[in-house]
Amino acid sequence: MSKSLIQRRLDPLGAGSDLHERALFARILASRGVRSCDELDLGFGGLLPPSGLLGAREAAALLASAMSRNQRILVVGDFDADGATSVTLFVSCMGAFGYDVQYLVPNRFDYGYGLTPEIVEVATQYGPDLIVTVDNGIASHAGIDLAKAKGWQVLVTDHHLPAETLPNADVIVNPNQPDCAFQSKALAGVGVIFYVLLALRAFLRDQAWFEAKGIAEPNLAEFLDLVALGSVADVVPLDRNNRILVEQGLRRMRSGIMRPGIQALLEVANKSWRTLVAQDLGFAVGPRINAAGRLDDISVGIRCLLSRDLFEARELANRLDEFNRERRLIEHTMKADAQVLLAQLPAFESGKLPAAITLYDASWHQGVVGILASRIKEQYHRPVIVFANDGEKALKGSARSIEGVHIRDVLDSIATMNPGLISKFGGHAMAAGLTIPASALEAFGQALDNFLEENTPPELFHPVKLSDGALSESDFSLSVAQELRLLQPWGQQFPEPLFDNEFRIVELRILSGQHAKMRLELASSNATLDAIAFNVDVDFYQAKLGQTLRFLYRLDVNEFRGLESLQMIIEYAERPLEHSL
């Protein structure tokens, strides 16, 4: 008998919980670590104070000193949505403080990631006195040394994991640096710079800066649309602090309060701000900003977010949408190439998958390898690193990992055990970037596979699809789906609820050759429900018409011509087992 991939989440109710919602919602929240009703309060007052973030006050003092002396401040960002929102937040907020700053974002294809020596040379033309990094810098030792040699001060704000030694910056703000006791280690880059700006506002208030300038003290809640967008797009874990930042930003946007660039991006993605949820930012807005950094220049995304004119913002949003369409076409071609390469690997032919998958093709686009790595990882449930050319003698790779395999630490171990095999690397537990010599591709792939085989429990390579359990017939209602929306925001480590039941497919219609629109009959009763499965093997569903399957699904509110109705979104389908979990 085959084993089900669907497993029920643990229901820890009673283990110190004082939740009082009805059983379904209490079960969902408790399984995500919510122990108290107080934890459901996502008001701004529950945010952790900036005083707990190591270096925040020192960063505020450094910035205030530069402002008081009218020094030139240049912010250097990253080329993704987190970096773009971080730059936009800093530039906009400093403007609200009555101080103009300039920004520079390196083109990923010309200068690489972070404050590299090459980008420091480019920065020379701006004549900065102070460099501020956002969403980068913690690994930029050489670039920071060069900047200091030029007589500049450097403030690093970042959230990536540091190496054993920290760069020689004047001030570093990073919740993941040693000795930082800040309780939320999951801040995105935009969250870190938001905290620095909170500390700066308090510092300037104490210095009577706003009175001297004759300007009103800015309300930083006005910038939470950017913080929410950057945090969701960077897929950081939604601990309570991040949930507050995201929810407060979403509330403002659902009230129609947002910058023109975000409104324009929602328009091109056909998303209504009135019903906006975190997933809309992650799957509709973020990818369009990221597409600019992947294919061209992230400054297009920054200009869109900085724009104060809706007409201009719409023009820039349309350009970003075109980038995203082009990115999808490139991704489609690369994925087809990857499937051919995978089929040719000896391990795949023998039926025994390797512990890690390493792929390279000379024609692949450097800006899209990360997306391809994610797709292959989802397909085979193991760490994947995809490489593209980075000059004549080097390959640049993007890594994506699975739960339980900390890919940045794995790369660190391999680099230590094999000097010269990895030129540079950095990242998180689930995603990382690296550069290797072109001649080292085979040796690197073997070293990675050997390390994981020796140091990773085999069960980690067997995928599990977690369910919040079965729903009763009475739970299949529009009101339940609407109430689930109120428990938002869902995201990394606070996942949207998924349920599993057995259904018979009574009606089936294929849409656009890739989506299965169905009418399902609940096996435990005669109730019928509407459902849709996106981007599926349509032959599989056509063969199952009239049969009973076990579906993993989520409840959704379908809106059509002003009317709302319940709809199931199918995430996974399998034959029912004789003994369900």
Side-chain angles (χ1 to χ4, degrees):
M1 183 191 306
S2 62
K3 182 180 178 181
S4 172
L5 297 185
I6 301 174
Q7 295 185 14
R8 299 280 169 81
R9 296 183 188 276
L10 294 177
D11 181 2
L13 278 180
S17 171
D18 67 352
L19 296 174
H20 302 297
E21 287 83 359
R22 62 188 172 105
L24 173 63
F25 302 111
R27 187 179 80 209
I28 290 169
L29 293 167
S31 69
R32 286 153 179 78
V34 177
R35 293 304 216 213
S36 166
C37 293
D38 293 340
E39 295 179 46
L40 300 178
D41 180 6
L42 299 181
F44 201 57
L47 205 63
L48 294 172
S51 58
L53 184 60
L54 181 65
R57 179 166 178 79
E58 291 77 7
L62 181 63
L63 287 165
S65 175
M67 294 166 71
S68 67
R69 292 183 288 171
N70 200 32
Q71 292 185 326
R72 289 182 293 272
I73 300 175
L74 176 68
V75 57
V76 178
D78 189 13
F79 36 69
D80 64 2
D82 189 12
T85 52
S86 298
V87 169
T88 303
L89 173 62
F90 187 74
V91 172
S92 300
C93 195
M94 290 293 284
F97 289 168
Y99 203 84
D100 291 331
V101 300
Q102 294 179 297
Y103 69 88
L104 172 64
V105 179
N107 184 297
R108 71 193 304 160
F109 310 112
D110 297 331
Y111 301 106
Y113 168 77
L115 189 64
T116 61
E118 293 81 6
I119 202 66
V120 168
E121 294 294 354
V122 175
T124 303
Q125 62 186 286
Y126 293 83
D129 300 295
L130 171 62
I131 293 279
V132 179
T133 72
V134 289
D135 192 31
N136 76 94
I138 199 65
S140 301
H141 294 72
I144 291 172
D145 287 344
L146 180 58
K148 298 288 290 180
K150 290 179 177 290
W152 308 340
Q153 292 181 298
V154 180
L155 164 61
V156 168
T157 74
D158 201 353
H159 69 126
H160 295 91
L161 298 175
E164 291 185 4
T165 59
L166 297 177
N168 186 33
D170 292 87
V171 179
I172 297 175
V173 186
N174 183 333
N176 291 299
Q177 67 177 308
D179 301 322
C180 182
F182 193 69
Q183 294 178 358
S184 176
K185 302 297 184 182
L187 283 175
V190 70
V192 175
I193 192 60
F194 180 72
Y195 264 86
V196 169
L197 290 165
L198 284 173
L200 176 59
R201 183 183 63 175
F203 196 98
L204 294 175
R205 180 194 304 134
D206 292 342
Q207 300 296 316
W209 168 273
F210 300 110
E211 290 89 339
K213 289 290 184 179
I215 58 178
E217 181 177 313
N219 178 7
L220 295 199
E222 296 177 1
F223 301 94
L224 285 172
D225 56 347
L226 289 168
V227 180
L229 172 56
S231 298
V232 173
D234 212 46
V235 203
V236 294
L238 291 190
D239 59 13
R240 188 184 178 215
N241 204 63
N242 276 340
R243 292 187 74 223
I244 291 173
L245 291 171
V246 172
E247 174 61 16
Q248 289 298 314
L250 286 170
R251 288 181 188 179
R252 293 182 65 83
M253 287 185 273
R254 284 194 292 262
S255 299
I257 304 172
M258 74 199 84
R259 61 202 59 250
I262 293 180
Q263 179 181 337
L265 285 165
L266 288 171
E267 289 175 358
V268 298
N270 294 315
K271 297 294 180 182
S272 169
W273 52 262
R274 293 177 176 83
T275 57
L276 191 67
V277 295
Q279 289 86 336
D280 296 328
L281 298 179
F283 293 103
V285 180
R288 285 170 168 79
I289 298 173
N290 282 330
R294 293 184 186 281
L295 302 186
D296 188 73
D297 186 348
I298 193 64
S299 64
V300 180
I302 296 173
R303 285 164 50 206
C304 180
L305 294 174
L306 282 172
S307 178
R308 298 180 181 181
D309 178 75
L310 184 56
F311 180 79
E312 177 191 45
R314 282 171 172 159
E315 288 188 332
L316 292 167
N318 282 324
R319 284 186 61 188
L320 293 172
D321 190 52
E322 291 172 3
F323 284 139
N324 197 46
R325 293 175 189 274
E326 182 181 353
R327 186 270 304 167
R328 287 176 179 171
L329 291 173
I330 294 171
E331 177 193 341
H332 179 77
T333 300
M334 288 172 57
K335 188 175 180 180
D337 293 341
Q339 297 302 325
V340 173
L341 289 176
L342 287 167
Q344 296 172 349
L345 293 177
F348 279 72
E349 292 178 349
S350 66
K352 184 182 183 300
L353 297 180
I357 297 173
T358 303
L359 296 172
Y360 161 74
D361 187 285
S363 67
W364 284 349
H365 196 293
Q366 187 186 128
V368 187
V369 290
I371 298 178
L372 180 59
S374 294
R375 300 287 187 260
I376 302 300
K377 181 207 75 171
E378 291 166 4
Q379 185 176 0
Y380 294 104
H381 193 73
R382 58 207 56 236
V384 176
I385 302 184
V386 178
F387 287 96
N389 281 328
D390 182 27
E392 294 182 1
K393 298 182 179 181
L395 301 179
K396 178 169 288 186
S398 188
R400 296 295 183 269
S401 194
I402 57 176
E403 199 69 39
V405 180
H406 194 301
I407 194 63
R408 189 260 174 208
D409 286 355
V410 168
L411 293 175
D412 192 14
S413 296
I414 293 173
T416 301
M417 297 165 59
N418 304 273
L421 191 60
I422 302 177
S423 304
K424 56 183 177 180
F425 67 93
H428 302 291
M430 303 297 285
L434 70 158
T435 301
I436 66 172
S439 60
L441 178 63
E442 184 176 350
F444 170 80
Q446 191 62 57
L448 175 64
D449 194 50
N450 290 342
F451 181 86
L452 292 177
E453 287 280 4
E454 296 172 3
N455 297 278
T456 308
E459 57 268 21
L460 289 181
F461 299 116
H462 298 290
V464 171
K465 299 182 180 298
L466 293 178
S467 165
D468 289 287
L471 291 183
S472 62
E473 183 177 348
S474 62
D475 289 326
F476 289 98
S477 69
L478 179 61
S479 62
V480 169
Q482 291 170 329
E483 287 180 73
L484 286 173
R485 275 191 169 184
L486 299 178
L487 298 181
Q488 296 265 356
W490 308 113
Q492 182 75 10
Q493 294 188 15
F494 201 84
E496 185 175 7
L498 293 173
F499 309 99
D500 69 279
N501 288 78
E502 293 180 6
F503 300 88
R504 186 171 69 90
I505 304 176
V506 293
E507 294 179 18
L508 173 68
R509 194 155 49 95
I510 302 302
L511 306 179
S512 302
Q514 57 186 343
H515 313 309
K517 178 76 172 174
M518 294 170 283
R519 187 74 176 166
L520 303 179
E521 182 180 81
L522 188 61
S524 59
S525 73
N526 294 322
T528 58
L529 301 137
D530 289 326
I532 189 168
F534 293 104
N535 301 307
V536 295
D537 180 352
V538 296
D539 293 335
F540 169 85
Y541 280 90
Q542 287 174 328
K544 302 302 180 186
L545 180 61
Q547 296 185 26
T548 297
L549 298 177
R550 188 182 185 201
F551 286 109
L552 184 68
Y553 61 90
R554 55 187 172 91
L555 298 184
D556 188 48
V557 178
N558 185 38
E559 299 179 34
F560 183 69
R561 294 180 179 176
L563 298 176
E564 293 185 339
S565 61
L566 174 68
Q567 179 176 250
M568 295 165 53
I569 307 294
I570 304 299
E571 300 289 345
Y572 176 72
E574 71 178 11
R575 287 185 179 276
L577 302 180
E578 293 179 14
H579 304 286
S580 63
L581 295 171

